[in-house]
Amino acid sequence: MSSRLLEVCVVVGASPKKLWEVCQAVDSHGSLEKVLLEPEVLHVLAPPFVSRPQAERKAGRSHWRRHHSFLRKKRKRRPSAVTAPIQDHFSGGDAANGREGSEDITVPKDIDLIALPQLCFPGGLQVTNVKREDQFHFLVFTDVFGNKSHGVVMQCYRPVQDWMSSCENGGKSKLFSAYGFCVISKYPYFTVLKDCLSCLLIKLRTCRFLDVEEKVKDFAAKLALVPIPPPGQLHLMFTLHHLTIELPSREDKDHPAVDLDLHLPFLCFRPQPLLQVLSCLLQEQRVVLFSADWARLTLVAEGLLLFLQPLSWQQPYVPVLAEGMLDFLMAPTAFLMGCHLCHFKEVAAETNDLILINIDNGSVSTSCSDTVDLPEIPSLAADCFTQRYQSLQVHFDLDQCLRVSCSDINDQRAQRRVWQRNLNHRIQGITTELIVNIFRDVSSHLNYEHRVFNSEEFLKSREPAERLFYKNVLETHIFHRFLRDRLNKKMDNFARLELSTRSEMQQIKASVEVPRRPTMQEIQARRTSSLLENRLINGQRMSLSNLVDDQTLNFQRIIMFDPAQRMPPKPVKVFQLPEFPETLSFHAVQSYYCELIQLLGKAINSVQIDNSSLLARYFYLRGFINLLCSRRLDALADFQTLHKTDTAIFPTQLVTRLVDSLMQEEQQQAKRRPELKRLILKVKTENEKPSVQLDDDIKKFELPRKNLDREEFVRCIQEGGIVKDVATIHRLFDAFTVGKSKQVNPELFKSFYTFWKETETEAQDVNLPTEVIDHLDHSECVYKLSSCVKTSHGVGKIGMTQKRLFLLPEGQPGFLEITMFRDLQEVKIASAPFLLVRIPSLRIRTSGRLEAFEANLKTETELWDLMVKEMWAGRKMADQHKDPQYMTQALTNVLLMDAVVGCLQTQRSICAASKLAYFDKIKHEGQLTCNDSKDEMNPKLWVALSGGRLVVFDAASWSMLQDSIQVGESQLNCMLGLVHEQVWIGSQDSVIYIIDTHSLTCNKQLTEHRYEVTGLTLDAGEQQSSLQTYSCSRDGTILQWDSSSLKVKRQFQLSCERLSSIHIHGDALWCCCGDSIVELRRSGTPQRRLLLPEHLRSSSSHFSSFIVIPEQGQLWTGLADSGDLYLWHTDGHEPSLEKISLTGCSGITCMIRVKDQIWVGCRGRSGVGGQCGSQLRGQLVVVDPQSHMVSKELQAHSDSIQTLCSAEDRYVLSGSARRDGKIAVWKVE
């Protein structure tokens, strides 16, 4: 794609010959009737406008690239294309020279000059005897591949006589004709190009006719010098005819730049009609926009399509139809088109099933009726949007009432830009909120592994009144592409907003594979929602946001908050381009680029080192400008720095072509520069890899029609969204095939699937008494209710949650807790006498209670016996391993048992269900024991926050034990746990704080260090009775402590720039010293020092972390500003060095060794993260120390990973920086 503002400039108007004929006719008849002329292309101007001077090879050639008037004969244009600007720079500018003297012009291949004249004059080209006002309108062109170009047309009226230089007599009558000046760009810079054309208009009004062509050439050549800013928060500014024009950047590489007033649709439509329009677009109707103002058509259409993001319109899109193109409206497919209001009645009369939208009066109708009979957007989402709509302040003048009047037009324009930018951000937040409210639940019906969307279950989960709307939307191309992005886990504004507005319960459900049931919190919220709806229906008008103090209300499928407060606009940096050269010769243009490179260099030097996002964008621009100047090696160096800083905006294709274009001498010079050599090698290596295409396939879940073997059964169960775990599915398969052939027939699968889904649906409508909701935890769900049975505590229903059993008394409100699964002592089947028979019953004994609970469950007894025992065993397993996932798995087993019994309805159903009692079977085989020690059952997770604060979590339940322990006011650098008694914490204030793990208080401090404490390590080789602890501080001081007496046993000083961490391995103490890793003997004597690799010593690089594997003679090191791991082989006399590159990593922050793996915490850049294209992201990389290869790449954080720790070598916990502020738990495999 072009990286310049201007793609082509076209002048359109009537030919002088036609104008002469009109003048002669008027002079002959003496009157002017309505005369419409056919517009033609008069001039085409496309870059490059200058090339290398021919004086280097042949003197006297012009610096201009010659452009001739477009051939006026209406013949098919040759399929020639303008050489792209970048290509010309690769060839040194000689491509243009070879074309000099050609009588045909060359134009970009995707610009249709045949249709362009009609679009420049959609209402026709008319000759008048009155000069009309100059006016603008906007165009969008789409090629067959869906690529868009954007045009702005200025219609300028001038006397006919001025344009008839070829005729001796231009006629006696004073006539006027319009000429169109169309500027086309690959980017939707509507406002910018309109401002530029307005500057051109000032020039044209004051110049002679003979100078017009030169003025337009000069104008187009200047716009061709303006580069496009990279995605992010860097805007460019340039001055044209004393007018300051700001060129905004794209938010990220997947979104277009927004350079129009997004509130225009809000000015044209009230909330209800606007929602109708959006509903029509979401359902892919045949939509036609009408307006008496051609300019409004494109601006309103573009705004409407931006409101739908991230859903992208896939159907034909022609926002301006010329009079000769109205037959396009007969197309049978869906489309979005626009035409003049004067054709409204004609279109309505001659077409069927069109949605007719009158922009001027804000009405929506069809070609058959004044009303639209289409399903509306779901009411709760629509109501939320309406409230946001009404709260918007869309009038600039009201905002300016209190402000000082500007005496300078550029200052006034700057104020308007800031106001418009903030308003656009607010509107985008509101419309994104609308789309999230409509499609929030889509992700819960996706199977990412098999790329299946269960549309049937999704529709069932909708309210009955909403189902037709969703049914129509689900069949559209726009929704199919949206689904594809969700399945590819695209991180766009929709995904970010949907994630950030999930309730705590929704987050837990999304992170854990647990069957869908409403939590007590969701049931309570649903009741609040129903109460609110009833109050609104009964006429009690009330603002939703006034119902809650923090303006946040979580319903089941809707969010109520101010998106602008949650996602405020990011600050923008504006870079001023140099003044355009007076004469656009080759040397003048080169001087302009040199000045621009110098300004970018100054900007780079002035940016703070931590603002890497802005630095990356400066390097991008400077690399591009260096390329335009044929400074290939300088460009390559800038792109290499960019690659280290932000890979999200790295122009891979451009750099590949740059590398391929290097001359022999340049290649030799690049090889002598290690950083360029690495980049060239990386580019060539990447090009050799097979390209990875994102999977576009989306399957719709269908029930099987033939017998299923084990493998097919696994696939169907997973695609149906029932269970993901393969081992569990295998046990389910065995349950269905007991005593039969090893196949499941489709009728049995359908019966099981139907029972499972109906149970889920019934659970959504469960009506629990208020007493139950009050007694249960917010996160608890009721998974099973028995029929009404007689128990030892009266008649009622037995309920089961993931934590307990309880009794719902029949006929009266109440709640009786039977037992917590953790407190169970015995579960067995008994019998209760009834008349002359004995009825099967379930007897439950609980610790702390003398009396057993007994329930006459009759035919349900055996099933409940299986379920309760499995939950009991799962609870014990979870407590023993400190892993709540075991309880979740046990719950899944129990629900599968229930479904198996429910669908089989035979004597063998209990036998089949027992195949799923996995944990109870382990318990009876003697593999499961339980330790009742509270200390052993509850390990603690200690988390250091900013400002000297600590929080402590119960690592079994992830509940917070202590929300804040204050230890000083400074940053906490390191922590170390000593057995189960103490936690040592090293602080930036040079103090070591000691926390008692029982009282969770800080009663002791070690103050022997004089500089910030940076590292702590424990000597595991000593006796437990006298643990030896080492601490280090930034200045190189290392202290050895006696942990029992808290006294310093030994102190030694290491000469280094910054000592950041220490580790003990055998008899050696390893120290990370910035530019080196030092191995010390226990006495403190240096044994060896490993320095930074030679090519990194001259930069500011430093070691950030290291791992020693003494048995393999390996030292793994990471650098803070490099995405490479460096492996030292320390066995030999001279350590050898090996480099392992990590994809997408710009720096390594931490490393740990877990089992036979090395886990590396990285800092990277991604378009998935933050709202700009360079959002920080945290990446985890798992490396195999045997093969030295990356085995896994894991992503869960939207900021850099700060720390890693291991839990019993079974889990790894990663903690991220403040923008993300989360802890992720990873299972080690």
Side-chain angles (χ1 to χ4, degrees):
M1 182 176 281
S2 171
S3 294
R4 285 168 159 166
L5 176 61
L6 177 76
E7 187 74 10
V8 65
C9 179
V10 183
V11 181
V12 179
S15 67
K17 181 179 179 181
K18 295 290 185 181
L19 291 175
W20 183 82
E21 291 174 356
V22 171
C23 290
Q24 294 301 314
V26 172
D27 291 343
S28 300
H29 297 90
S31 63
L32 177 67
E33 298 179 357
K34 184 177 181 181
V35 178
L36 291 177
L37 300 179
E38 183 177 358
E40 300 180 10
V41 173
L42 303 178
H43 300 283
V44 179
L45 301 142
F49 292 96
V50 295
S51 59
R52 288 189 180 278
Q54 291 300 313
E56 297 180 7
R57 297 184 303 180
K58 185 188 295 184
R61 288 284 184 90
S62 169
H63 299 309
W64 282 92
R65 177 184 172 189
R66 181 70 176 170
H67 288 272
H68 297 268
S69 297
F70 184 74
L71 299 179
R72 296 181 179 84
K73 292 182 180 180
K74 297 183 68 176
R75 59 182 176 83
K76 188 174 181 180
R77 177 170 54 92
R78 293 183 183 179
S80 53
V82 158
T83 302
I86 299 301
Q87 273 185 330
D88 187 65
H89 296 298
F90 288 145
S91 59
D94 295 333
N97 301 329
R99 291 189 297 268
E100 283 200 11
S102 172
E103 290 301 319
D104 276 328
I105 62 166
T106 54
V107 295
K109 59 184 177 182
D110 50 353
I111 303 299
D112 183 4
L113 292 184
I114 304 301
L116 184 62
Q118 291 186 68
L119 294 173
C120 288
F121 292 95
L125 175 56
Q126 187 175 358
V127 178
T128 66
N129 52 17
V130 178
K131 184 178 181 181
R132 295 183 178 178
E133 188 175 346
D134 304 318
Q135 54 189 290
F136 292 83
H137 68 276
F138 309 91
L139 303 173
V140 178
F141 314 95
T142 309
D143 65 16
V144 293
F145 301 107
N147 301 313
K148 291 183 179 179
S149 298
H150 308 80
V152 179
V153 180
M154 178 179 68
Q155 293 182 4
C156 175
Y157 283 83
R158 287 184 68 103
V160 169
Q161 289 78 2
D162 289 357
W163 295 86
M164 295 175 55
S165 59
S166 61
C167 303
E168 295 180 1
N169 182 9
K172 299 176 182 179
S173 303
K174 188 71 171 179
L175 301 178
F176 298 89
S177 177
Y179 293 85
F181 299 87
C182 179
V183 177
I184 298 175
S185 175
K186 287 292 186 184
Y187 303 88
Y189 286 116
F190 297 110
T191 304
V192 167
L193 295 178
K194 179 183 176 182
D195 289 345
C196 293
L197 283 170
S198 299
C199 295
L200 173 64
L201 181 61
I202 297 173
K203 294 279 189 179
L204 296 180
R205 284 174 176 171
T206 58
C207 75
R208 299 179 304 156
F209 165 74
L210 296 176
D211 297 331
V212 168
E213 183 175 359
E214 196 66 25
K215 294 292 184 184
V216 177
K217 285 181 179 179
D218 180 75
F219 165 78
K222 287 180 178 177
L223 292 193
L225 295 178
V226 179
I228 298 297
Q233 299 303 309
L234 178 64
H235 294 190
L236 300 183
M237 182 179 286
F238 60 93
T239 302
L240 195 63
H241 196 64
H242 305 296
L243 189 68
T244 300
I245 301 172
E246 185 175 316
L247 192 67
S249 61
R250 293 174 288 164
E251 180 182 354
D252 57 54
K253 62 182 181 180
D254 295 322
H255 292 85
V258 179
D259 185 40
L260 70 160
D261 299 344
L262 287 183
H263 65 287
L264 290 181
F266 288 76
L267 297 175
C268 297
F269 301 98
R270 298 296 301 159
Q272 186 60 27
L274 182 55
L275 286 167
Q276 274 187 318
V277 175
L278 296 177
S279 176
C280 293
L281 294 175
L282 286 173
Q283 296 176 71
E284 284 190 353
Q285 298 298 302
R286 300 161 70 211
V287 180
V288 186
L289 304 177
F290 292 91
S291 177
D293 184 346
W294 292 106
R296 291 182 190 173
L297 291 172
T298 300
L299 296 180
V300 171
E302 285 287 298
L304 292 173
L305 296 186
L306 284 172
F307 292 170
L308 298 181
Q309 287 187 349
L311 286 88
S312 176
W313 183 256
Q314 302 296 303
Q315 301 294 345
Y317 172 50
V318 188
V320 173
L321 284 176
E323 289 187 348
M325 301 177 175
L326 293 182
D327 58 330
F328 286 14
L329 300 179
M330 305 302 292
T333 183
F335 55 72
L336 175 58
M337 300 187 186
C339 59
H340 199 274
L341 187 61
C342 64
H343 301 296
F344 187 93
K345 293 183 179 179
E346 176 188 355
V347 171
E350 297 187 12
T351 58
N352 296 319
D353 301 326
L354 293 189
I355 305 296
L356 310 179
I357 300 172
N358 189 332
I359 294 174
D360 296 346
N361 65 15
S363 65
V364 183
S365 59
T366 68
S367 51
C368 305
S369 171
D370 291 336
T371 59
V372 177
D373 186 20
L374 267 180
E376 297 181 349
I377 286 175
S379 58
L380 284 177
D383 291 342
C384 178
F385 176 81
T386 300
Q387 183 180 354
R388 299 285 179 240
Y389 177 109
Q390 294 169 346
S391 68
L392 272 180
Q393 175 56 264
V394 295
H395 297 286
F396 177 67
D397 292 339
L398 292 178
D399 185 71
Q400 295 297 300
C401 290
L402 295 176
R403 299 184 184 275
V404 177
S405 299
C406 294
S407 58
D408 183 272
I409 186 174
N410 286 323
D411 292 341
Q412 186 177 12
R413 283 165 52 83
Q415 284 188 4
R416 171 70 190 225
R417 280 195 300 268
V418 173
W419 177 84
Q420 190 66 58
R421 187 185 304 133
N422 292 332
L423 179 60
N424 283 355
H425 177 80
R426 182 91 185 271
I427 290 173
Q428 286 179 293
I430 291 172
T431 54
T432 303
E433 178 191 50
L434 172 67
I435 301 300
V436 169
N437 283 337
I438 295 174
F439 298 112
R440 167 179 290 280
D441 289 346
V442 165
S443 60
S444 61
H445 293 82
L446 293 175
N447 183 297
Y448 293 94
E449 182 179 358
H450 296 280
R451 298 189 65 82
V452 171
F453 174 59
N454 198 326
S455 57
E456 183 179 344
E457 294 301 324
F458 175 77
L459 287 174
K460 286 181 181 178
S461 68
R462 304 300 90 193
E463 297 294 333
E466 303 171 356
R467 287 175 185 168
L468 184 56
F469 167 82
Y470 282 106
K471 183 177 183 297
N472 292 343
V473 172
L474 263 55
E475 296 172 353
T476 61
H477 291 83
I478 191 174
F479 182 76
H480 184 274
R481 182 159 183 171
F482 171 78
L483 271 186
R484 185 195 69 183
D485 290 338
R486 297 316 106 199
L487 287 170
N488 291 335
K489 299 184 178 181
K490 183 177 181 180
M491 186 54 65
D492 50 22
N493 285 339
F494 175 94
R496 283 189 283 270
L497 184 59
E498 194 272 330
L499 286 172
S500 66
T501 54
R502 285 180 180 176
S503 66
E504 185 178 355
M505 287 303 102
Q506 289 170 330
Q507 293 177 20
I508 293 174
K509 286 184 176 182
S511 60
V512 177
E513 183 187 347
V514 60
R516 288 192 202 99
R517 299 292 187 274
T519 64
M520 297 303 105
Q521 186 180 39
E522 290 170 341
I523 292 175
Q524 188 64 45
R526 188 188 304 162
R527 292 183 178 179
T528 304
S529 172
S530 300
L531 177 63
L532 173 62
E533 289 184 52
N534 292 333
R535 293 171 66 181
L536 291 174
I537 292 172
N538 294 331
Q540 300 178 24
R541 299 293 179 185
M542 180 180 294
S543 170
L544 290 175
S545 61
N546 293 332
L547 295 176
V548 284
D549 297 334
D550 62 351
Q551 295 186 346
T552 303
L553 185 60
N554 284 310
F555 293 153
Q556 188 177 7
R557 292 194 297 268
I558 192 168
I559 48 176
M560 288 293 297
F561 70 95
D562 190 342
Q565 293 179 2
R566 186 176 291 271
M567 296 187 298
K570 293 193 174 183
V572 168
K573 178 68 176 179
V574 180
F575 177 77
Q576 176 74 52
L577 298 178
E579 293 290 335
F580 293 118
E582 291 294 332
T583 59
L584 292 172
S585 65
F586 173 79
H587 293 296
V589 170
Q590 292 299 304
S591 298
Y592 171 83
Y593 286 146
C594 288
E595 183 181 358
L596 179 51
I597 290 171
Q598 291 177 357
L599 291 175
L600 287 169
K602 291 179 180 178
I604 290 170
N605 293 331
S606 65
V607 176
Q608 295 182 359
I609 191 66
D610 59 344
N611 194 352
S612 56
S613 173
L614 182 58
L615 273 174
R617 276 135 192 87
Y618 281 139
F619 282 119
Y620 180 103
L621 279 175
R622 194 172 71 175
F624 178 70
I625 302 302
N626 273 321
L627 184 56
L628 296 180
C629 295
S630 297
R631 300 177 177 179
R632 295 179 178 85
L633 292 183
D634 291 340
L636 203 58
D638 283 331
F639 289 135
Q640 190 271 339
T641 308
L642 167 65
H643 188 270
K644 288 172 53 180
T645 311
D646 191 345
T647 57
I649 62 171
F650 183 75
T652 304
Q653 294 182 354
L654 179 63
V655 175
T656 300
R657 293 167 61 190
L658 171 58
V659 169
D660 293 340
S661 72
L662 292 177
M663 300 178 183
Q664 188 68 29
E665 183 181 351
E666 291 172 327
Q667 292 179 10
Q668 295 299 326
Q669 294 179 23
K671 289 180 179 178
R672 291 194 290 269
R673 297 168 64 173
E675 69 281 1
L676 298 188
K677 183 178 179 181
R678 285 200 308 273
L679 180 62
I680 293 173
L681 179 61
K682 183 175 183 62
V683 168
K684 291 183 176 180
T685 304
E686 290 295 327
N687 289 335
E688 292 172 358
K689 293 181 181 178
S691 58
V692 179
Q693 297 293 333
L694 291 177
D695 193 352
D696 288 344
D697 183 38
I698 300 174
K699 293 184 287 187
K700 183 178 178 180
F701 176 73
E702 295 181 352
L703 290 170
R705 300 178 182 178
K706 61 180 182 179
N707 290 343
L708 303 174
D709 59 20
R710 184 180 293 269
E711 184 176 343
E712 291 171 336
F713 183 79
V714 170
R715 177 184 59 80
C716 288
I717 290 291
Q718 290 180 335
E719 287 185 0
I722 298 175
V723 183
K724 293 181 181 179
D725 182 64
V726 175
T728 303
I729 301 175
H730 284 169
R731 289 192 290 272
L732 179 62
F733 181 82
D734 294 337
F736 280 132
T737 56
V738 173
K740 298 168 57 178
S741 62
K742 292 300 181 179
Q743 284 189 329
V744 176
N745 65 62
E747 291 77 17
L748 177 58
F749 186 93
K750 180 180 179 180
S751 175
F752 169 76
Y753 179 83
T754 303
F755 186 92
W756 180 274
K757 293 300 179 181
E758 286 178 352
T759 305
E760 279 188 347
T761 303
E762 291 170 1
Q764 298 297 325
D765 300 326
V766 64
N767 186 20
L768 295 174
T770 304
E771 290 80 7
V772 175
I773 298 175
D774 292 341
H775 279 87
L776 298 180
D777 296 342
H778 285 321
S779 61
E780 280 188 89
C781 306
V782 176
Y783 287 94
K784 177 70 175 172
L785 279 175
S786 73
S787 56
C788 191
V789 298
K790 181 181 178 182
T791 74
S792 55
H793 288 77
V795 177
K797 295 181 179 180
I798 297 175
M800 183 185 73
T801 74
Q802 65 267 47
K803 294 183 178 180
R804 73 188 88 207
L805 297 173
F806 63 92
L807 178 67
L808 287 176
E810 182 71 14
Q812 58 181 354
F815 172 87
L816 174 66
E817 181 176 300
I818 300 172
T819 183
M820 301 287 286
F821 289 117
R822 178 180 280 129
D823 299 331
L824 277 170
Q825 282 190 333
E826 183 185 37
V827 178
K828 70 176 183 178
I829 296 177
S831 61
F834 181 75
L835 298 179
L836 299 177
V837 297
R838 301 189 69 84
I839 298 174
S841 65
L842 187 68
R843 184 173 297 164
I844 299 173
R845 291 191 179 276
T846 306
S847 61
R849 297 181 186 176
L850 297 177
E851 183 184 356
F853 176 86
E854 190 166 349
N856 300 349
L857 286 162
K858 304 177 184 176
T859 56
E860 297 180 68
T861 302
E862 290 180 298
L863 174 61
W864 276 89
D865 178 61
L866 284 175
M867 293 193 301
V868 174
K869 287 180 177 178
E870 180 69 6
M871 293 295 286
W872 181 18
R875 180 72 267 171
K876 285 191 172 185
M877 184 75 82
D879 289 343
Q880 177 178 330
H881 293 276
K882 316 300 185 294
D883 186 354
Q885 286 290 325
Y886 286 104
M887 197 64 195
T888 303
Q889 181 61 57
L891 180 60
T892 300
N893 295 341
V894 163
L895 295 178
L896 289 174
M897 292 178 193
D898 186 38
V900 166
V901 172
C903 72
L904 289 179
Q905 296 291 334
T906 62
Q907 292 182 349
R908 64 184 181 87
S909 60
I910 294 298
C911 177
S914 65
K915 297 290 185 181
L916 294 159
Y918 177 66
F919 293 122
D920 188 48
K921 181 181 178 181
I922 293 177
K923 175 185 174 184
H924 282 91
E925 290 175 353
Q927 300 176 27
L928 178 62
T929 59
C930 184
N931 191 334
D932 292 332
S933 170
K934 291 294 182 181
D935 290 334
E936 291 296 322
M937 287 171 54
N938 296 287
K940 298 181 179 65
L941 174 66
W942 298 73
V943 182
L945 307 178
S946 59
R949 292 181 299 125
L950 278 172
V951 292
V952 185
F953 293 89
D954 184 323
S957 63
W958 302 116
S959 58
M960 188 179 292
L961 298 177
Q962 188 72 25
D963 60 351
S964 182
I965 302 174
Q966 194 69 39
V967 284
E969 301 291 338
S970 302
Q971 175 179 310
L972 305 178
N973 292 333
C974 49
M975 286 194 289
L976 178 68
L978 273 68
V979 196
H980 300 290
E981 304 295 328
Q982 296 177 345
V983 173
W984 288 32
I985 303 169
S987 173
Q988 201 173 54
D989 60 10
S990 76
V991 178
I992 298 176
Y993 297 92
I994 300 179
I995 308 291
D996 184 280
T997 57
H998 297 291
S999 63
L1000 300 182
T1001 56
C1002 176
N1003 297 321
K1004 298 174 182 178
Q1005 299 180 13
L1006 307 179
T1007 58
E1008 277 72 8
H1009 282 287
R1010 294 294 175 260
Y1011 293 86
E1012 66 172 297
V1013 180
T1014 55
L1016 292 165
T1017 188
L1018 185 66
D1019 188 351
E1022 298 286 343
Q1023 294 295 325
Q1024 292 290 316
S1025 58
S1026 181
L1027 292 175
Q1028 304 298 316
T1029 306
Y1030 289 82
S1031 64
C1032 68
S1033 54
R1034 186 189 65 183
D1035 63 329
T1037 301
I1038 300 174
L1039 302 180
Q1040 181 185 1
W1041 301 86
D1042 183 288
S1043 302
S1044 56
S1045 63
L1046 301 182
K1047 293 182 178 180
V1048 177
K1049 294 185 63 177
R1050 186 181 303 165
Q1051 173 177 345
F1052 36 90
Q1053 191 74 29
L1054 183 62
S1055 176
C1056 65
E1057 180 181 350
R1058 175 186 169 85
L1059 179 55
S1060 59
S1061 62
I1062 53 175
H1063 295 293
I1064 290 182
H1065 291 281
D1067 293 330
L1069 185 65
W1070 292 80
C1071 309
C1072 185
C1073 301
D1075 62 348
S1076 62
I1077 303 292
V1078 179
E1079 181 185 7
L1080 301 178
R1081 293 188 175 91
R1082 291 293 185 100
S1083 61
T1085 305
Q1087 190 163 331
R1088 63 175 141 181
R1089 182 185 293 263
L1090 304 176
L1091 296 173
L1092 272 172
E1094 186 175 352
H1095 65 276
L1096 296 173
R1097 293 178 193 172
S1098 58
S1099 64
S1100 58
S1101 298
H1102 61 274
F1103 288 113
S1104 59
S1105 54
F1106 70 95
I1107 288 177
V1108 181
I1109 308 180
E1111 64 272 18
Q1112 299 180 20
Q1114 293 181 352
L1115 169 65
W1116 293 78
T1117 59
L1119 277 66
D1121 58 352
S1122 171
D1124 299 324
L1125 274 175
Y1126 289 92
L1127 168 60
W1128 306 79
H1129 298 279
T1130 59
D1131 285 341
H1133 180 69
E1134 288 293 333
S1136 60
L1137 183 62
E1138 181 180 343
K1139 185 178 74 172
I1140 296 97
S1141 296
L1142 306 181
T1143 305
C1145 173
S1146 62
I1148 295 171
T1149 54
C1150 48
M1151 292 193 292
I1152 61 169
R1153 184 186 181 191
V1154 184
K1155 293 185 177 177
D1156 57 347
Q1157 301 171 344
I1158 294 177
W1159 289 58
V1160 184
C1162 303
R1163 178 179 64 253
R1165 295 274 171 187
S1166 174
V1168 278
Q1171 296 177 37
C1172 75
S1174 64
Q1175 185 192 9
L1176 281 166
R1177 64 180 169 91
Q1179 182 180 12
L1180 263 178
V1181 177
V1182 182
V1183 181
D1184 181 359
Q1186 299 291 337
S1187 64
H1188 308 165
M1189 300 289 291
V1190 174
S1191 58
K1192 290 181 182 178
E1193 293 182 359
L1194 309 171
Q1195 293 181 8
H1197 298 290
S1198 57
D1199 203 346
S1200 59
I1201 295 174
Q1202 298 290 86
T1203 186
L1204 295 169
C1205 70
S1206 169
E1208 301 177 353
D1209 273 356
R1210 295 190 300 114
Y1211 299 97
V1212 170
L1213 288 78
S1214 59
S1216 60
R1218 66 177 61 191
R1219 292 185 189 178
D1220 183 64
K1222 296 177 182 176
I1223 298 170
V1225 183
W1226 308 88
K1227 189 172 183 179
V1228 179
E1229 296 179 351

